[in-house]
């Protein structure tokens, strides 16, 4: 296994070096004042381990884009290794982590998503001097690991204001008279319910009487089930806007909106209007964003400022660029009053005028009670 991985890593590193990657912790050359550039700084050598493949139009591509922007700015060099996402590939993930950690070549090793914390814990404990960043996970606290998470409750609030405002405006084609919106979640879990909590509260902020039809697929890779749930809430409860927070399963809800011709869809994590077919893009009015790439830029901004966060859990919101909502393209076709409501919500959450509670650590059952109270 180690021989196989070494060959794979060597080929990746050759490509990276050919692209101009340099050795660990170099000092960027200080240029003269006449050249008008910044003073000398540290260039970090980074490894980006993808527990899947690039091209997902979501977390992995976002992370890659953020790292590329850092390299283009001369702030890091980096190597991306696509480890694959099949069951056979997963058996090799820890070996990849061990190989890059034992090499001693990288200042920071980056990985992400809910699938990686156990693998990372095993390796990070074995290499206490190696620094790691894991995004979208807070499972463990380790002295040499920075855990990044995102304020999906704030993101949900913005999407809720958008959906709650639009469903009241029957002047917009396809909006019916019933103020019912939908939520298709992947798994009934604290993170997904954090999206939902904000979504309901945002919708209620513009319409206290709104109804929210909430369904869970039970999987992130079952678009057929997502489509079935979407069709049911659209046909049975007259939902005219459905938010899919279920990975690939949520894309089935987009198909339900498009095929029934009676609803619109809101995407999640990335700008799904850009990734869908033209038919699905046409019914996708916006997306709630988790900006993984921007959060990695934030990490190196902090390092450059002398702020190390190893051993910490950091939650990033609007002001740090961690979350947001798409406000161009199809969003701009919606009524101006709806757009104004969303922009006001962005300002309020950013300034702290509105503080959105979180479902993370909710032991009082507040989310479940709220969910039940808005059932259609």
């Amino acid at each position: 296994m180690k021989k196989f991985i070494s060959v794979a890593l060597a080929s990746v590193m050759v490509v990276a070096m050919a692209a101009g990657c340099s050795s660990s912790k170099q000092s960027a050359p200080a240029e003269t004042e006449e050249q008008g550039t910044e003073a000398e700084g540290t260039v970090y050598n980074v490894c980006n381990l993808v527990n899947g493949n690039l091209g997902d139009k979501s977390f992995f591509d976002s992370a890659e884009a953020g790292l590329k922007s850092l390299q283009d700015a001369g702030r890091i060099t980096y190597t991306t290794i696509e480890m694959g996402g099949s069951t056979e590939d997963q058996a090799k993930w820890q070996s990849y982590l061990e190989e890059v950690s034992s090499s001693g070549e990288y200042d920071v090793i980056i990985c992400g998503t809910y699938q990686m914390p156990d693998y990372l814990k095993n390796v990070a404990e074995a290499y206490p001097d190696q620094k790691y960043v894991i995004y979208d996970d807070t499972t463990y606290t380790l002295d040499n690991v920075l855990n990044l998470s995102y304020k999906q409750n704030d993101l949900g609030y913005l999407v809720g204001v958008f959906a709650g405002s639009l469903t009241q405006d029957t002047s917009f084609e396809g909006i019916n008279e019933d103020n019912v919106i939908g939520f298709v979640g992947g798994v009934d879990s604290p993170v997904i319910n954090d999206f939902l909590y904000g979504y309901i509260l945002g919708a209620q902020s513009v319409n206290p009487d709104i109804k929210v039809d909430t369904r869970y697929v039970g999987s992130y890779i079952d678009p057929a089930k997502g489509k079935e749930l979407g069709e049911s809430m659209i046909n049975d409860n007259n939902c005219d806007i459905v938010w899919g927070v279920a990975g690939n399963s949520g894309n089935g809800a987009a198909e339900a909106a498009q095929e029934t011709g009676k609803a619109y869809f809101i995407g999640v994590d990335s700008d799904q209007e850009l990734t869908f077919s033209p038919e699905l893009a046409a019914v996708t009015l916006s997306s709630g964003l988790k900006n993984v790439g921007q959060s990695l830029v934030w990490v190196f901004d902090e390092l450059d400022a002398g702020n190390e966060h190893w051993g910490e859990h950091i939650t990033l919101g609007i002001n740090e660029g961690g979350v947001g909502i798409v406000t161009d393209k199809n969003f701009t076709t919606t009524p101006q009053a709806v757009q104004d409501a969303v922009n006001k919500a962005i300002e309020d959450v950013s300034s702290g005028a509105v503080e959105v509670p979180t479902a993370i650590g909710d032991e009082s059952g507040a989310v479940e009670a709220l969910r039940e109270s808005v059932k259609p």
Side-chain angles (χ1 to χ4, degrees):
M1 174 64 70
K2 289 181 71 67
K3 181 178 179 182
F4 167 78
I5 294 173
S6 296
V7 171
L9 286 175
S11 64
V12 173
M13 290 175 187
V14 167
V15 173
M17 291 173 66
C21 289
S22 52
S23 61
S24 176
K25 280 191 179 175
Q26 298 182 62
S27 292
E31 302 193 10
T32 64
E33 187 175 343
E34 288 78 8
Q35 289 174 302
T37 57
E38 295 181 357
E40 181 176 319
T42 300
V43 178
Y44 297 90
N45 196 21
V46 177
C47 183
N48 177 33
L49 289 177
V50 177
N51 54 305
N53 296 95
L54 296 178
D56 69 333
K57 308 296 184 183
S58 186
F59 279 5
F60 298 144
D61 284 359
S62 179
E64 178 75 6
L67 293 173
K68 184 177 186 304
S69 72
L70 286 163
Q71 179 166 280
D72 290 346
R75 299 175 61 187
I76 70 168
T77 60
Y78 79 102
T79 299
T80 290
I81 300 172
E82 300 177 61
M83 300 188 294
S86 70
T87 302
E88 293 78 10
D89 291 327
Q90 290 183 32
K92 305 171 189 175
W93 289 353
Q94 185 163 320
S95 296
Y96 274 109
L97 264 171
E98 290 173 346
E99 186 79 7
V100 297
S101 298
S102 65
S103 73
E105 295 186 21
Y106 299 102
D107 302 304
V108 181
I109 296 172
I110 296 171
C111 61
T113 80
Y114 71 97
Q115 293 177 299
M116 290 302 292
D118 288 333
Y119 300 104
L120 179 58
K121 180 178 184 293
N122 293 337
V123 176
E125 289 178 340
Y127 296 92
D129 295 329
Q130 175 65 59
K131 305 301 184 186
Y132 302 87
V133 174
I134 182 168
Y135 54 83
D136 206 38
D137 180 77
T138 58
T139 303
Y140 300 111
T141 300
L142 300 164
D143 290 342
N144 52 339
V145 178
L146 164 57
N147 296 71
L148 291 177
S149 59
Y150 308 89
K151 293 183 179 179
Q152 54 266 329
N153 51 326
D154 287 354
L155 185 166
Y157 185 87
L158 304 181
V159 175
V161 168
F162 177 52
S165 298
L166 185 57
T167 193
Q168 298 181 82
D169 195 332
T170 56
S171 70
F172 193 70
E173 184 179 358
I175 297 298
N176 60 59
E177 294 182 354
D178 293 343
N179 294 327
V180 183
I181 58 178
F183 180 92
V184 175
V187 175
D188 189 348
S189 64
V191 169
I192 296 301
N193 286 331
D194 211 25
F195 286 96
L196 175 64
Y197 204 5
Y199 184 59
I200 296 174
L201 293 174
Q204 286 184 325
S205 75
V206 294
N207 181 1
D209 298 321
I210 197 163
K211 299 298 181 183
V212 182
D213 189 341
T214 300
R215 318 270 183 114
Y216 299 93
V217 178
S219 166
Y220 295 96
I221 54 172
D222 190 351
K225 182 66 173 180
K227 182 178 180 181
E228 176 187 329
L229 296 180
E231 288 174 340
S232 178
M233 60 178 58
I234 292 167
N235 291 325
D236 298 343
N237 288 326
N238 233 14
C239 286
D240 48 23
I241 301 169
V242 179
W243 189 21
V245 185
N248 192 36
S249 297
N251 297 344
E255 294 179 13
Q258 188 267 325
E259 291 182 12
T260 61
K262 297 190 291 185
Y264 294 99
F265 182 74
I266 300 173
V268 75
D269 292 338
S270 64
D271 185 349
Q272 292 197 267
E273 185 182 341
L274 295 177
T275 65
F276 278 154
S277 67
E279 293 78 15
L280 293 186
V283 299
T284 302
L285 297 182
S286 183
S287 295
L289 302 174
K290 272 191 178 181
N291 297 319
V292 174
Q294 184 58 41
S295 72
L296 297 180
V297 172
W298 178 89
V299 169
F300 289 95
D301 286 346
E302 288 291 284
L303 288 174
D304 287 347
N307 301 322
E308 296 188 350
H309 297 283
W310 312 117
E312 297 181 19
H313 291 188
I314 300 294
T315 304
L316 303 177
I318 295 175
N319 292 332
E320 299 84 12
V323 300
I325 184 171
V326 173
T327 57
D328 59 6
K329 302 182 292 301
N330 283 347
F331 177 88
T332 64
T333 68
T334 63
Q336 188 61 49
V338 173
Q339 298 179 49
D340 292 344
V342 173
N343 290 326
K344 178 65 163 52
I346 293 171
E347 292 175 6
D348 287 345
V349 174
S350 299
S351 69
V354 169
E355 295 184 9
V356 185
T358 177
I360 306 298
D362 171 38
E363 297 179 357
S364 65
V367 179
E368 183 177 357
L370 183 63
R371 184 173 61 199
E372 291 298 312
S373 72
V374 295
K375 271 188 174 180

